[in-house]
Amino acid sequence: MNNISVTDLRLKFPGEDALVFKDLSFSVQPGEKVLMLGPSGCGKSTLLQVLSGIIPNSIELPMKATSIQLPDSWGFVFQDPDTQFCMTYVDEELAFVLENLHVPREKMASLIAEVLKRVDLHLKDVHTPINEMSQGMKQRLALASVLLLEPNVLFLDEPSALLDPEGTQQIWTSIKEATADKTVIIVEHKIDLIADWVDRVVLFNDHGVILADGSPADIFANFQEELKRYGIWYPGVWEEYKTSDGFQLMMLNRQAVSSQEKIHIEDFHGYRGQVEKISAKHATVQAGDWITIVGENGSGKSTLLLSLMQLLRTNGVYEVNGVAIGWKKKKRQLPKGLSLVFQNPELQFVTNSITEELTVSLHGMPKADADMYAKELMRLFNLPDSVSRHPYQLSTGQKRRLSVATALTPSTDILLLDEPTFGQDARNTFAILEKLEQLRTKGMTILMVTHDTEIVENFATAVWNVVDGVVQTDSGVGGAMNVQLVHT
Amino acid sequence: MFNWFTPKRETWLFRVNPALKFIVFFAFLIITLVNQSLPFALSQAILYGILFYGFSGYSMKKLLLLSIPLVISFLSTGLTMLLFGKGETVLWQWGLFKISEESIRHALLLGSKSLSFGFVGFTFILTIQPVLFFYAMMQQFRLPSKYAYSFIAAFRLIPAVTEELQIRRNALKVRNIQFSKGVKGLYERLQSYTVPLFAQSIRRAQRIAVAMEAKQYQMGAARTYYYPTRYNRIDVVFVLIMIGSLTLAFLLSVYQ
């Protein structure tokens, strides 16, 4: 094994003036486990692609370097579990790699079985559709397919960013087991599971310059300010946030807003086609409640939101603001006062500018008032006040904030959110949570699906647990008990 | 959605090499296309109908459901020809409509050709597994792997796109987007669906392409095959049956 290095790297994205890297030099010793940290957009992922040769071999970008030493053999695990596979079944996907390597057909089955064992994927049948696996399992499959390449060097580009806590745990366990003797270079924001496993941490600043390079202990002790600023989920970030003055002040005498009943549910059922997917015996929500909806993947959390929004057929007693809601097939209007924010922001944008995006749902409001309203929302959600900027051109965090803001029309008083902080860095997560708390104190009622136990413990006023399509509102699950609302 | 395409039983047609099946069906459809004899066209439609209803292995309910578009295309091509076709021996005329002996012949000819195309097309789609078809095309007919894998990868993306379509529909409802009436509204609707779905799909396709290359996929490089496809006895049987029954259909149409 030789080491990997690049000297005086310069690289730029077409159409942008600034260089991503200006004379960057970087090298990794064989067997080293390196974690690269930095704000989003600083070029960490780009550097991974340069070191692997994906840039410029697969992605052509203008770049130059005085010298560059690429690994002889390498594997790459990407962030998105849904865009790494070209085949439909587990065995076919792994066989695709073996075919590329020109492995004879007879040897394939045993190699496939062996590599699946290495990543702890125990399937009844290797001919399982990839679509039926959880996101965490898909990432382990991605790791397995890469291990078949027998790589000396492994590049990991945020492999757990889009996984729930359970999936995150699984993928890192598998990675640690499978790569003990390999060089591993990681880009990741969620680092509590690997912070003490890596040998070396490299910290980048906004301009793609290496700010610090050292042992994890050194970096986490001496560069907390930067880590916080860059939104990195370093170990202890929640503890620190909870002791911050801002959070303390926000939570001081956190009050119930009113006792007005916003949602009332009695024997409520939601259907996909003819099949019942979700049911709730009895539940009530009051104005200013912040309810977190928790439960395993596929238990029906998102289905519950779709049912409450009346995008699925429902029956039973369901009242919003005291008005009985009945499911009508031809009904165009959704329940008044409710709005839903889906997971993927881009699928919710409907116009070509931020202002339009915030005013398009304000039917019947004079234009001047609507523009004022949009300005106010842009200020509240820290969105760039740019007339020409297309919503797609925003950063991931901005897109997410905009998608929440678009749901806030003057008539919205109940907000349904499907994992609004999912895949966001620490800074964006806290920003979104603070905006939501601000809205809540003004009377907004929030129902939010989340996997994050810290959010449940620190922000929820009540927890609904969804188990196999049944909503449990009185479960003692979750830590909401320590959040006391002062009823006045 | 894909579960719908699981046959009730796997007939002998399933065991035929899919690439060979494609080539034979393709060649036979060219015969259908150039043929001008009505009796032959009719007997071909009957032959392919037997193939479709008898040997595709699907339940009659599904086959009848699939027949709806076939009947529609038969009627639409046939009726146009029947009512507006040229001809000397006029049987009935009313305004623009004119039915002649020749137009009846042409209508039946065209109708049975469109039926043949439908029957063969459906029989093919119903009796192959797409992945195996492309594997066979690569192995038996030297189809460059880049085309095979682009089709296979695209096939994998269909469920994701249908799911996104559903989310988009819901999102537009939640955002309370009202479209204009008439053609303008149709344009707005089209735009509000295609732009985000295309953006997502292009990004996804590009990521998959990079991931494939990261797994050492190289265009034009020699490769081995996980699913070996070769010719079997059944393939000989298939070719013989197809040629035999087409000859029979031809003879029946000549010596009727």
Side-chain angles (χ1 to χ4, degrees), chain B residues 201-225:
Chain B
S201 296
I202 290 169
R203 191 169 315 163
R204 199 175 288 130
Q206 197 204 2
R207 284 190 193 150
I208 289 178
V210 171
M212 283 169 76
E213 290 196 13
K215 289 174 188 173
Q216 310 272 306
Y217 172 77
Q218 282 169 324
M219 277 185 235
R223 42 194 307 115
T224 49
Y225 298 98

PDB file of all heavy atoms in Angstrom, chain B residues 201-225:
ATOM      1  N   SER B 201     -34.823  13.562 -11.267  1.00  0.00           N
ATOM      2  CA  SER B 201     -34.404  12.378 -12.022  1.00  0.00           C
ATOM      3  C   SER B 201     -33.021  12.549 -12.633  1.00  0.00           C
ATOM      4  O   SER B 201     -32.218  11.613 -12.629  1.00  0.00           O
ATOM      5  CB  SER B 201     -35.408  12.073 -13.126  1.00  0.00           C
ATOM      6  OG  SER B 201     -36.640  11.733 -12.570  1.00  0.00           O
ATOM      7  N   ILE B 202     -32.760  13.746 -13.144  1.00  0.00           N
ATOM      8  CA  ILE B 202     -31.449  13.982 -13.755  1.00  0.00           C
ATOM      9  C   ILE B 202     -30.358  13.841 -12.702  1.00  0.00           C
ATOM     10  O   ILE B 202     -29.341  13.183 -12.899  1.00  0.00           O
ATOM     11  CB  ILE B 202     -31.400  15.376 -14.415  1.00  0.00           C
ATOM     12  CG1 ILE B 202     -32.298  15.383 -15.649  1.00  0.00           C
ATOM     13  CG2 ILE B 202     -29.971  15.755 -14.789  1.00  0.00           C
ATOM     14  CD1 ILE B 202     -32.544  16.751 -16.224  1.00  0.00           C
ATOM     15  N   ARG B 203     -30.621  14.453 -11.530  1.00  0.00           N
ATOM     16  CA  ARG B 203     -29.634  14.373 -10.458  1.00  0.00           C
ATOM     17  C   ARG B 203     -29.406  12.914 -10.065  1.00  0.00           C
ATOM     18  O   ARG B 203     -28.292  12.457  -9.886  1.00  0.00           O
ATOM     19  CB  ARG B 203     -30.154  15.167  -9.264  1.00  0.00           C
ATOM     20  CG  ARG B 203     -29.116  15.373  -8.210  1.00  0.00           C
ATOM     21  CD  ARG B 203     -29.593  16.383  -7.204  1.00  0.00           C
ATOM     22  NE  ARG B 203     -30.203  17.538  -7.868  1.00  0.00           N
ATOM     23  CZ  ARG B 203     -30.984  18.404  -7.235  1.00  0.00           C
ATOM     24  NH1 ARG B 203     -31.241  18.255  -5.972  1.00  0.00           N
ATOM     25  NH2 ARG B 203     -31.491  19.434  -7.882  1.00  0.00           N
ATOM     26  N   ARG B 204     -30.509  12.179  -9.929  1.00  0.00           N
ATOM     27  CA  ARG B 204     -30.403  10.788  -9.512  1.00  0.00           C
ATOM     28  C   ARG B 204     -29.629   9.971 -10.549  1.00  0.00           C
ATOM     29  O   ARG B 204     -28.754   9.176 -10.212  1.00  0.00           O
ATOM     30  CB  ARG B 204     -31.804  10.213  -9.315  1.00  0.00           C
ATOM     31  CG  ARG B 204     -31.802   8.985  -8.466  1.00  0.00           C
ATOM     32  CD  ARG B 204     -33.200   8.490  -8.184  1.00  0.00           C
ATOM     33  NE  ARG B 204     -33.930   9.321  -7.269  1.00  0.00           N
ATOM     34  CZ  ARG B 204     -35.154   9.780  -7.491  1.00  0.00           C
ATOM     35  NH1 ARG B 204     -35.771   9.493  -8.606  1.00  0.00           N
ATOM     36  NH2 ARG B 204     -35.750  10.523  -6.601  1.00  0.00           N
ATOM     37  N   ALA B 205     -29.955  10.197 -11.821  1.00  0.00           N
ATOM     38  CA  ALA B 205     -29.286   9.446 -12.884  1.00  0.00           C
ATOM     39  C   ALA B 205     -27.793   9.715 -12.865  1.00  0.00           C
ATOM     40  O   ALA B 205     -26.970   8.812 -13.005  1.00  0.00           O
ATOM     41  CB  ALA B 205     -29.887   9.835 -14.228  1.00  0.00           C
ATOM     42  N   GLN B 206     -27.440  10.981 -12.651  1.00  0.00           N
ATOM     43  CA  GLN B 206     -26.015  11.323 -12.656  1.00  0.00           C
ATOM     44  C   GLN B 206     -25.287  10.669 -11.488  1.00  0.00           C
ATOM     45  O   GLN B 206     -24.190  10.134 -11.635  1.00  0.00           O
ATOM     46  CB  GLN B 206     -25.859  12.845 -12.601  1.00  0.00           C
ATOM     47  CG  GLN B 206     -24.472  13.284 -13.012  1.00  0.00           C
ATOM     48  CD  GLN B 206     -24.108  14.628 -12.448  1.00  0.00           C
ATOM     49  OE1 GLN B 206     -24.874  15.233 -11.718  1.00  0.00           O
ATOM     50  NE2 GLN B 206     -22.933  15.099 -12.786  1.00  0.00           N
ATOM     51  N   ARG B 207     -25.954  10.678 -10.314  1.00  0.00           N
ATOM     52  CA  ARG B 207     -25.325  10.046  -9.145  1.00  0.00           C
ATOM     53  C   ARG B 207     -25.144   8.559  -9.368  1.00  0.00           C
ATOM     54  O   ARG B 207     -24.117   7.988  -9.003  1.00  0.00           O
ATOM     55  CB  ARG B 207     -26.191  10.271  -7.904  1.00  0.00           C
ATOM     56  CG  ARG B 207     -26.078  11.669  -7.367  1.00  0.00           C
ATOM     57  CD  ARG B 207     -26.753  11.745  -6.025  1.00  0.00           C
ATOM     58  NE  ARG B 207     -26.909  13.142  -5.648  1.00  0.00           N
ATOM     59  CZ  ARG B 207     -27.888  13.590  -4.894  1.00  0.00           C
ATOM     60  NH1 ARG B 207     -28.802  12.754  -4.425  1.00  0.00           N
ATOM     61  NH2 ARG B 207     -27.967  14.860  -4.594  1.00  0.00           N
ATOM     62  N   ILE B 208     -26.152   7.927  -9.959  1.00  0.00           N
ATOM     63  CA  ILE B 208     -26.039   6.487 -10.190  1.00  0.00           C
ATOM     64  C   ILE B 208     -24.896   6.207 -11.165  1.00  0.00           C
ATOM     65  O   ILE B 208     -24.125   5.262 -10.981  1.00  0.00           O
ATOM     66  CB  ILE B 208     -27.376   5.914 -10.705  1.00  0.00           C
ATOM     67  CG1 ILE B 208     -28.395   5.913  -9.565  1.00  0.00           C
ATOM     68  CG2 ILE B 208     -27.195   4.502 -11.239  1.00  0.00           C
ATOM     69  CD1 ILE B 208     -29.749   5.414  -9.941  1.00  0.00           C
ATOM     70  N   ALA B 209     -24.781   7.045 -12.179  1.00  0.00           N
ATOM     71  CA  ALA B 209     -23.703   6.845 -13.156  1.00  0.00           C
ATOM     72  C   ALA B 209     -22.340   6.926 -12.480  1.00  0.00           C
ATOM     73  O   ALA B 209     -21.459   6.087 -12.722  1.00  0.00           O
ATOM     74  CB  ALA B 209     -23.819   7.893 -14.263  1.00  0.00           C
ATOM     75  N   VAL B 210     -22.166   7.916 -11.604  1.00  0.00           N
ATOM     76  CA  VAL B 210     -20.881   8.045 -10.894  1.00  0.00           C
ATOM     77  C   VAL B 210     -20.651   6.834 -10.003  1.00  0.00           C
ATOM     78  O   VAL B 210     -19.554   6.267  -9.961  1.00  0.00           O
ATOM     79  CB  VAL B 210     -20.844   9.357 -10.075  1.00  0.00           C
ATOM     80  CG1 VAL B 210     -19.629   9.385  -9.174  1.00  0.00           C
ATOM     81  CG2 VAL B 210     -20.841  10.558 -11.005  1.00  0.00           C
ATOM     82  N   ALA B 211     -21.724   6.399  -9.311  1.00  0.00           N
ATOM     83  CA  ALA B 211     -21.593   5.235  -8.429  1.00  0.00           C
ATOM     84  C   ALA B 211     -21.205   3.996  -9.226  1.00  0.00           C
ATOM     85  O   ALA B 211     -20.402   3.183  -8.778  1.00  0.00           O
ATOM     86  CB  ALA B 211     -22.898   5.000  -7.673  1.00  0.00           C
ATOM     87  N   MET B 212     -21.768   3.855 -10.436  1.00  0.00           N
ATOM     88  CA  MET B 212     -21.437   2.690 -11.262  1.00  0.00           C
ATOM     89  C   MET B 212     -19.972   2.713 -11.668  1.00  0.00           C
ATOM     90  O   MET B 212     -19.284   1.698 -11.637  1.00  0.00           O
ATOM     91  CB  MET B 212     -22.337   2.661 -12.505  1.00  0.00           C
ATOM     92  CG  MET B 212     -23.747   2.176 -12.222  1.00  0.00           C
ATOM     93  SD  MET B 212     -24.884   2.432 -13.596  1.00  0.00           S
ATOM     94  CE  MET B 212     -24.397   1.118 -14.696  1.00  0.00           C
ATOM     95  N   GLU B 213     -19.497   3.883 -12.032  1.00  0.00           N
ATOM     96  CA  GLU B 213     -18.078   3.965 -12.416  1.00  0.00           C
ATOM     97  C   GLU B 213     -17.175   3.745 -11.217  1.00  0.00           C
ATOM     98  O   GLU B 213     -16.094   3.164 -11.339  1.00  0.00           O
ATOM     99  CB  GLU B 213     -17.790   5.307 -13.088  1.00  0.00           C
ATOM    100  CG  GLU B 213     -18.438   5.387 -14.455  1.00  0.00           C
ATOM    101  CD  GLU B 213     -17.881   6.509 -15.306  1.00  0.00           C
ATOM    102  OE1 GLU B 213     -16.838   7.084 -14.962  1.00  0.00           O
ATOM    103  OE2 GLU B 213     -18.508   6.811 -16.338  1.00  0.00           O
ATOM    104  N   ALA B 214     -17.639   4.202 -10.040  1.00  0.00           N
ATOM    105  CA  ALA B 214     -16.854   3.973  -8.831  1.00  0.00           C
ATOM    106  C   ALA B 214     -16.766   2.483  -8.524  1.00  0.00           C
ATOM    107  O   ALA B 214     -15.849   2.045  -7.849  1.00  0.00           O
ATOM    108  CB  ALA B 214     -17.477   4.716  -7.646  1.00  0.00           C
ATOM    109  N   LYS B 215     -17.716   1.719  -9.015  1.00  0.00           N
ATOM    110  CA  LYS B 215     -17.662   0.262  -8.842  1.00  0.00           C
ATOM    111  C   LYS B 215     -16.916  -0.393 -10.001  1.00  0.00           C
ATOM    112  O   LYS B 215     -17.162  -1.552 -10.312  1.00  0.00           O
ATOM    113  CB  LYS B 215     -19.074  -0.304  -8.719  1.00  0.00           C
ATOM    114  CG  LYS B 215     -19.725   0.058  -7.402  1.00  0.00           C
ATOM    115  CD  LYS B 215     -21.160  -0.382  -7.340  1.00  0.00           C
ATOM    116  CE  LYS B 215     -21.809   0.175  -6.086  1.00  0.00           C
ATOM    117  NZ  LYS B 215     -23.245  -0.075  -6.065  1.00  0.00           N
ATOM    118  N   GLN B 216     -16.066   0.389 -10.620  1.00  0.00           N
ATOM    119  CA  GLN B 216     -15.156  -0.130 -11.651  1.00  0.00           C
ATOM    120  C   GLN B 216     -15.867  -0.557 -12.928  1.00  0.00           C
ATOM    121  O   GLN B 216     -15.374  -1.408 -13.642  1.00  0.00           O
ATOM    122  CB  GLN B 216     -14.349  -1.317 -11.124  1.00  0.00           C
ATOM    123  CG  GLN B 216     -13.689  -1.059  -9.811  1.00  0.00           C
ATOM    124  CD  GLN B 216     -12.332  -0.450  -9.971  1.00  0.00           C
ATOM    125  OE1 GLN B 216     -11.491  -0.984 -10.663  1.00  0.00           O
ATOM    126  NE2 GLN B 216     -12.131   0.696  -9.352  1.00  0.00           N
ATOM    127  N   TYR B 217     -17.042   0.008 -13.168  1.00  0.00           N
ATOM    128  CA  TYR B 217     -17.678  -0.281 -14.442  1.00  0.00           C
ATOM    129  C   TYR B 217     -16.953   0.516 -15.523  1.00  0.00           C
ATOM    130  O   TYR B 217     -16.740   1.713 -15.369  1.00  0.00           O
ATOM    131  CB  TYR B 217     -19.155   0.108 -14.429  1.00  0.00           C
ATOM    132  CG  TYR B 217     -19.782   0.001 -15.793  1.00  0.00           C
ATOM    133  CD1 TYR B 217     -20.121  -1.248 -16.300  1.00  0.00           C
ATOM    134  CD2 TYR B 217     -19.984   1.124 -16.588  1.00  0.00           C
ATOM    135  CE1 TYR B 217     -20.655  -1.369 -17.562  1.00  0.00           C
ATOM    136  CE2 TYR B 217     -20.518   1.008 -17.860  1.00  0.00           C
ATOM    137  CZ  TYR B 217     -20.845  -0.238 -18.335  1.00  0.00           C
ATOM    138  OH  TYR B 217     -21.359  -0.360 -19.596  1.00  0.00           O
ATOM    139  N   GLN B 218     -16.558  -0.177 -16.591  1.00  0.00           N
ATOM    140  CA  GLN B 218     -15.912   0.531 -17.693  1.00  0.00           C
ATOM    141  C   GLN B 218     -16.621   0.189 -18.984  1.00  0.00           C
ATOM    142  O   GLN B 218     -16.881  -0.974 -19.273  1.00  0.00           O
ATOM    143  CB  GLN B 218     -14.450   0.121 -17.795  1.00  0.00           C
ATOM    144  CG  GLN B 218     -13.598   0.794 -16.756  1.00  0.00           C
ATOM    145  CD  GLN B 218     -12.232   0.179 -16.696  1.00  0.00           C
ATOM    146  OE1 GLN B 218     -12.072  -1.029 -16.859  1.00  0.00           O
ATOM    147  NE2 GLN B 218     -11.237   1.011 -16.463  1.00  0.00           N
ATOM    148  N   MET B 219     -16.942   1.223 -19.720  1.00  0.00           N
ATOM    149  CA  MET B 219     -17.596   0.982 -20.999  1.00  0.00           C
ATOM    150  C   MET B 219     -16.696   0.168 -21.907  1.00  0.00           C
ATOM    151  O   MET B 219     -15.500   0.430 -22.010  1.00  0.00           O
ATOM    152  CB  MET B 219     -17.890   2.312 -21.687  1.00  0.00           C
ATOM    153  CG  MET B 219     -19.162   2.952 -21.203  1.00  0.00           C
ATOM    154  SD  MET B 219     -19.482   4.399 -22.176  1.00  0.00           S
ATOM    155  CE  MET B 219     -19.625   5.624 -20.904  1.00  0.00           C
ATOM    156  N   GLY B 220     -17.265  -0.825 -22.530  1.00  0.00           N
ATOM    157  CA  GLY B 220     -16.523  -1.578 -23.529  1.00  0.00           C
ATOM    158  C   GLY B 220     -15.573  -2.614 -22.972  1.00  0.00           C
ATOM    159  O   GLY B 220     -14.997  -3.383 -23.726  1.00  0.00           O
ATOM    160  N   ALA B 221     -15.409  -2.642 -21.631  1.00  0.00           N
ATOM    161  CA  ALA B 221     -14.500  -3.635 -21.059  1.00  0.00           C
ATOM    162  C   ALA B 221     -15.158  -5.011 -21.083  1.00  0.00           C
ATOM    163  O   ALA B 221     -16.375  -5.120 -21.044  1.00  0.00           O
ATOM    164  CB  ALA B 221     -14.154  -3.251 -19.631  1.00  0.00           C
ATOM    165  N   ALA B 222     -14.326  -6.053 -21.153  1.00  0.00           N
ATOM    166  CA  ALA B 222     -14.868  -7.408 -21.136  1.00  0.00           C
ATOM    167  C   ALA B 222     -15.465  -7.670 -19.770  1.00  0.00           C
ATOM    168  O   ALA B 222     -14.973  -7.176 -18.761  1.00  0.00           O
ATOM    169  CB  ALA B 222     -13.754  -8.409 -21.413  1.00  0.00           C
ATOM    170  N   ARG B 223     -16.558  -8.424 -19.738  1.00  0.00           N
ATOM    171  CA  ARG B 223     -17.164  -8.720 -18.451  1.00  0.00           C
ATOM    172  C   ARG B 223     -17.669 -10.157 -18.418  1.00  0.00           C
ATOM    173  O   ARG B 223     -17.811 -10.797 -19.450  1.00  0.00           O
ATOM    174  CB  ARG B 223     -18.289  -7.741 -18.125  1.00  0.00           C
ATOM    175  CG  ARG B 223     -19.205  -7.395 -19.288  1.00  0.00           C
ATOM    176  CD  ARG B 223     -20.089  -6.189 -19.021  1.00  0.00           C
ATOM    177  NE  ARG B 223     -20.842  -6.296 -17.792  1.00  0.00           N
ATOM    178  CZ  ARG B 223     -20.649  -5.495 -16.762  1.00  0.00           C
ATOM    179  NH1 ARG B 223     -19.741  -4.550 -16.804  1.00  0.00           N
ATOM    180  NH2 ARG B 223     -21.367  -5.640 -15.675  1.00  0.00           N
ATOM    181  N   THR B 224     -17.881 -10.627 -17.183  1.00  0.00           N
ATOM    182  CA  THR B 224     -18.529 -11.929 -17.044  1.00  0.00           C
ATOM    183  C   THR B 224     -19.998 -11.673 -16.768  1.00  0.00           C
ATOM    184  O   THR B 224     -20.402 -10.531 -16.584  1.00  0.00           O
ATOM    185  CB  THR B 224     -17.902 -12.708 -15.873  1.00  0.00           C
ATOM    186  OG1 THR B 224     -17.865 -11.844 -14.742  1.00  0.00           O
ATOM    187  CG2 THR B 224     -16.512 -13.163 -16.230  1.00  0.00           C
ATOM    188  N   TYR B 225     -20.792 -12.746 -16.747  1.00  0.00           N
ATOM    189  CA  TYR B 225     -22.231 -12.553 -16.580  1.00  0.00           C
ATOM    190  C   TYR B 225     -22.777 -13.414 -15.472  1.00  0.00           C
ATOM    191  O   TYR B 225     -22.563 -14.616 -15.427  1.00  0.00           O
ATOM    192  CB  TYR B 225     -22.958 -12.854 -17.896  1.00  0.00           C
ATOM    193  CG  TYR B 225     -22.539 -11.917 -18.998  1.00  0.00           C
ATOM    194  CD1 TYR B 225     -21.586 -12.296 -19.941  1.00  0.00           C
ATOM    195  CD2 TYR B 225     -23.069 -10.631 -19.069  1.00  0.00           C
ATOM    196  CE1 TYR B 225     -21.181 -11.417 -20.929  1.00  0.00           C
ATOM    197  CE2 TYR B 225     -22.672  -9.754 -20.047  1.00  0.00           C
ATOM    198  CZ  TYR B 225     -21.717 -10.147 -20.975  1.00  0.00           C
ATOM    199  OH  TYR B 225     -21.326  -9.271 -21.940  1.00  0.00           O
TER     200      TYR B 225
END
